[in-house]
Amino acid sequence: MPREPLHGADVLAFHRSLSNWGRWGEDDQLGALNLITPEVTAAAAATVQTGRTVSCARALDTRPATDNPSPVAHHMTGTFTEGYGADYFALAPHGFATSHIDALSHIFHEGKLFNGYDAETVTAHGATRLGIHRLAGGIVTRGVLLDIPALRGVDALEPGEAIFPEDLEDAEARAGLSVRPGDALFVRTGRWRWRDEHGPWDLGRSAAGLDASCLPWLRARDVATLGSDGVSDVAPSRVDGVPMPIHTVAIVALGLHLMDNLDFEALATACAEEGRWEFLLAVAPLVLRRGTASPVNPIAVF
């Protein structure tokens, strides 16, 4: 039977019941990344067996499309004419095209950012709190891929198809593991496989992703960061008055840095070939002072 959607009031209550505000101190600016302790990183590094590496990023796309209305600008400033190669890039990381990681300054709720910082700290000169430069040391932890299309026996989820907590648990069982504190959780919807077969579309209107009912599960598992081949949220959201509950609650209340528009096709193949859905994950955002996001190329190491 179809799952009943949550009410808007229930989701708004998650901002209190699931909150990590103050958990790592009143001055904290890392949020759930604090769960990645040196011991967690060392344990993740110890899982490396074959040394196989896989990128989880899309190539920066300079072509406009329905899901890429603001394509990357790439201009050559040096060619054979000048006697050297040089270029200039400009991009808007947020949206539905570029693989990027959101800073905790990206989303506001009732005038506040994560940990109670005032939204007015995000100014015309950048985010004076919770900027992406806070991740200068990178993210190095255990990554886990939960492949929902494989679980459901399809190549890709249809746009608008929701993922529920029981799907995450069934995918864990299929992978023979459990998501644990400090993990980077990747959830595959097959977005890019669907795009290859059907063409680009507006993910703001229709996208496969997590239902709001997954939020308590993410908090209970103490996930350190969450990545999707879409934008994590199912669209439409199934919650009246709350268009992107995963983004809003996960970033503002839980302090989760979200990675959007990643590409898990090669990663899913590697996991199947290696026979395991866990790996060492290394993520190195650009050190952009006061930025609200960074393009990113997460690397999985088997």
Side-chain angles (χ1 to χ4, degrees):
M1 295 178 62
R3 175 105 175 221
E4 287 294 323
L6 295 180
H7 296 293
D10 297 327
V11 174
L12 293 176
F14 286 158
H15 282 277
R16 297 186 299 276
S17 63
L18 305 180
S19 176
N20 277 324
W21 289 16
R23 182 176 176 182
W24 299 287
E26 62 181 15
D27 298 323
D28 174 55
Q29 299 196 51
L30 288 179
L33 292 180
N34 283 288
L35 294 162
I36 305 175
T37 62
E39 292 77 17
V40 167
T41 297
T47 68
V48 174
Q49 298 175 11
T50 66
R52 180 177 184 173
T53 62
V54 181
S55 168
C56 302
R58 297 287 291 179
L60 294 174
D61 200 342
T62 60
R63 301 162 298 176
T66 304
D67 56 357
N68 190 22
S70 301
V72 174
H74 179 203
H75 305 293
M76 295 304 296
T77 59
T79 68
F80 72 94
T81 302
E82 290 77 28
Y84 57 88
D87 43 17
Y88 169 88
F89 287 90
L91 57 84
H94 296 293
F96 304 115
T98 299
S99 299
H100 68 272
I101 185 168
D102 291 329
L104 298 183
S105 52
H106 175 45
I107 298 291
F108 315 153
H109 175 69
E110 296 182 343
K112 297 294 183 181
L113 305 175
F114 171 72
N115 220 29
Y117 293 113
D118 200 301
E120 291 182 358
T121 59
V122 182
T123 74
H125 300 287
T128 61
R129 295 289 186 275
L130 304 172
I132 200 66
H133 64 284
R134 299 290 176 178
L135 278 59
I139 300 170
V140 184
T141 190
R142 185 178 81 144
V144 170
L145 177 68
L146 299 185
D147 191 339
I148 306 304
L151 176 70
R152 296 184 180 176
V154 297
D155 290 334
L157 302 186
E158 296 184 7
E161 195 169 345
I163 298 166
F164 300 102
E166 53 265 33
D167 295 313
L168 300 178
E169 292 181 356
D170 288 346
E172 283 182 310
R174 178 180 180 275
L177 51 75
S178 293
V179 175
R180 61 189 185 222
D183 280 349
L185 174 61
F186 285 170
V187 180
R188 178 177 176 264
T189 70
R191 177 260 183 101
W192 300 109
R193 177 74 67 87
W194 184 274
R195 190 182 193 270
D196 287 344
E197 296 179 0
H198 300 277
W201 77 98
D202 182 357
L203 274 76
R205 292 180 177 273
S206 183
L210 299 179
D211 184 74
S213 58
C214 292
L215 286 162
W217 190 94
L218 296 172
R219 177 63 174 80
R221 296 305 182 97
D222 262 343
V223 171
T225 182
L226 173 66
S228 172
D229 48 4
V231 291
S232 287
D233 281 276
V234 66
S237 71
R238 294 172 30 92
V239 182
D240 290 341
V242 187
M244 296 187 77
I246 301 297
H247 262 69
T248 305
V249 178
I251 291 177
V252 181
L254 277 68
L256 276 182
H257 291 78
L258 302 187
M259 286 180 270
D260 297 337
N261 310 313
L262 302 183
D263 191 331
F264 297 144
E265 298 310 298
L267 179 62
T269 297
C271 285
E273 292 176 351
E274 296 286 335
R276 57 196 184 103
W277 281 257
E278 64 172 355
F279 40 85
L280 174 66
L281 182 73
V283 184
L286 300 179
V287 186
L288 173 63
R289 290 190 178 91
R290 303 182 299 279
T292 65
S294 170
V296 75
N297 178 21
I299 303 295
V301 186
F302 292 90

